Amino acid sequence: MKTRTLRLLTLLTFLTFFLYDCKDKEADSLAPANTELSSQLDKLELATTTLQETPDVKLVPGKVESSVKTQELNSSLSTVTAGNIPASVSKAAEEVSTSLTPAEIKALNEVTPSQATKTVLNSDQVRAILSKAAADVKLQGYLSLFTAAKVDGLLDGGRTGGVTDGTSSNSAAVEKDNTDDCIARANEKFEKTKERLDDSKAKELDKINDAYNKDLERIQRNLEKCTGENSPAHFEALRQVGIKIANDALAALEKSKPFLKPGQYEYLKALINVQLLDYLAKVNQLEAAKIGTCTEIAAIAKARAEETKNSNTARVEANYNEALAKAVELRDKMIENCHNQGSGK
């Protein structure tokens, strides 16, 4: 009896040890999922990508404006009275008298704003007078201010820099079909990490596509604006601005005529007309200048937008591939640990 009891106790002890040993091995098989490697997988994120912005390539239209001295003179003309001739008015008349010949003054005074056509502007006499006025330091300040049109957004002269794609690993399926629980847990960790990286990548690519679509919308708006600012109607409107300035100045001059000194009226009228002719000549120059059609500028802008989109996409892909390669590396190390445990190391 004692012998049977002793044998039974021995068997129970053996079974207990066997079950405990199996439990420890099972726990060990799950250990990699709770190691530092697993923790690193949990913390692995897609690196933040600093996205480049597309330069705003657009036409900045040129303009023609009255000078400060012209504005001052025209304002002063309306204040002339019997006892008050502003200094700016007297000085302007004097400067014309010493800069232009009587024949040139007479020719200018025969011009009216309504007659200031391209034919008049292209006459040899008028062109000679305008050239003389532009070279005279006394008269330069009365002439219109000219700003040429330009294409903005191309000052850097460069192209959007490319980025070399990172190398993605194709070893994501290593041991994936292995039914070993340790390996299965390692692959499970990897898949969760990859899903998180895929989601982050998709969000970054959505940002890039949204930015690209906004670029295209802005380019279309710029194209429409450019077309309007280069239409014949636009330049005709500019001419009418100059003609109105001249007509207002001539009207003020007529009212002040009884109070002016001999000769001043003729000199000032010649100055107003030379201002007008100069203004109209510069509007014609602005209209004739061709620095690129609106459609050409829009095409350049679209190309730059495409370059920026591709460059940003390459940066995101590179960061994603780098993070994915790190995830594969950690997963493979975990699987290696599983093999080591299985071999009793």
Side-chain angles (χ1 to χ4, degrees):
M1 185 69 179
K2 290 181 178 180
T3 301
R4 290 181 63 188
T5 302
L6 182 60
R7 286 178 179 177
L8 182 59
L9 289 172
T10 301
L11 179 60
L12 289 172
T13 301
F14 175 77
L15 288 173
T16 301
F17 176 78
F18 177 77
L19 291 173
Y20 179 79
D21 186 55
C22 289
K23 185 176 183 297
D24 283 349
K25 287 185 176 180
E26 183 180 349
D28 288 342
S29 72
L30 301 177
N34 298 315
T35 60
E36 177 61 26
L37 294 174
S38 176
S39 177
Q40 290 181 44
L41 270 176
D42 289 337
K43 296 176 181 178
L44 190 60
E45 299 287 348
L46 184 66
T48 301
T49 305
T50 301
L51 302 180
Q52 293 183 330
E53 294 185 2
T54 304
D56 190 10
V57 181
K58 62 182 179 181
L59 177 70
V60 178
K63 55 186 178 180
V64 180
E65 303 171 289
S66 297
S67 68
V68 173
K69 288 188 74 171
T70 293
Q71 294 174 28
E72 181 183 359
L73 173 61
N74 292 350
S75 177
S76 298
L77 283 173
S78 63
T79 66
V80 174
T81 63
N84 176 49
I85 299 179
S88 59
V89 173
S90 297
K91 184 178 181 181
E94 180 183 352
E95 288 176 330
V96 171
S97 68
T98 58
S99 298
L100 299 178
T101 66
E104 291 168 337
I105 292 171
K106 180 181 179 181
L108 287 171
N109 287 343
E110 290 175 351
V111 175
T112 63
S114 60
Q115 295 174 334
T117 61
K118 286 186 177 181
T119 301
V120 173
L121 287 171
N122 290 330
S123 70
D124 291 338
Q125 186 180 34
V126 169
R127 291 172 65 180
I129 293 173
L130 290 179
S131 295
K132 182 177 181 179
D136 192 300
V137 293
K138 295 178 183 177
L139 300 183
Q140 287 172 355
Y142 297 102
L143 302 183
S144 304
L145 304 176
F146 176 85
T147 303
K150 65 176 182 177
V151 178
D152 222 0
L154 297 178
L155 297 180
D156 58 356
R159 301 174 69 85
T160 306
V163 176
T164 303
D165 288 347
T167 302
S168 60
S169 173
N170 294 321
S171 63
V174 174
E175 301 280 1
K176 192 172 182 182
D177 293 332
N178 195 313
T179 57
D180 182 273
D181 186 62
C182 175
I183 295 175
R185 290 295 298 274
N187 281 317
E188 180 184 354
K189 279 286 183 180
F190 171 80
E191 289 300 333
K192 288 182 179 179
T193 301
K194 185 175 183 299
E195 286 177 8
R196 189 170 65 252
L197 294 176
D198 288 345
D199 183 61
S200 297
K201 173 185 171 182
K203 290 179 179 177
E204 289 296 296
L205 293 180
D206 284 343
K207 289 181 184 177
I208 292 171
N209 287 328
D210 287 345
Y212 177 68
N213 289 331
K214 289 179 180 178
D215 286 340
L216 294 182
E217 291 172 1
R218 185 185 68 242
I219 290 168
Q220 181 60 33
R221 289 195 301 271
N222 288 343
L223 174 60
E224 293 171 0
K225 183 178 180 182
C226 177
T227 302
E229 291 172 339
N230 283 274
S231 65
H234 171 74
F235 292 105
E236 182 57 32
L238 286 181
R239 293 186 184 93
Q240 293 304 316
V241 169
I243 290 172
K244 184 179 185 308
I245 292 172
N247 280 330
D248 289 347
L250 289 172
L253 179 63
E254 288 298 325
K255 290 181 180 180
S256 66
K257 184 176 181 180
F259 313 117
L260 295 175
K261 297 177 180 178
Q264 286 185 330
Y265 173 84
E266 287 75 16
Y267 299 144
L268 292 171
K269 184 176 181 180
L271 180 57
I272 292 170
N273 282 333
V274 82
Q275 289 169 348
L276 171 63
L277 294 171
D278 173 72
Y279 180 98
L280 295 177
K282 286 174 178 172
V283 171
N284 291 345
Q285 179 185 346
L286 197 62
E287 185 176 18
K290 298 295 182 182
I291 62 172
T293 66
C294 295
T295 52
E296 288 171 344
I297 294 170
I300 295 172
K302 287 180 180 178
R304 292 301 295 270
E306 188 73 26
E307 289 175 6
T308 301
K309 177 187 176 184
N310 292 340
S311 178
N312 284 334
T313 299
R315 283 179 165 82
V316 171
E317 291 287 355
N319 286 342
Y320 171 80
N321 289 334
E322 182 179 348
L324 184 60
K326 181 63 177 177
V328 170
E329 177 188 345
L330 293 171
R331 190 278 317 278
D332 289 350
K333 286 182 179 179
M334 291 175 69
I335 291 176
E336 184 180 352
N337 288 340
C338 293
H339 290 315
N340 290 339
Q341 291 169 18
S343 63
K345 293 181 181 180

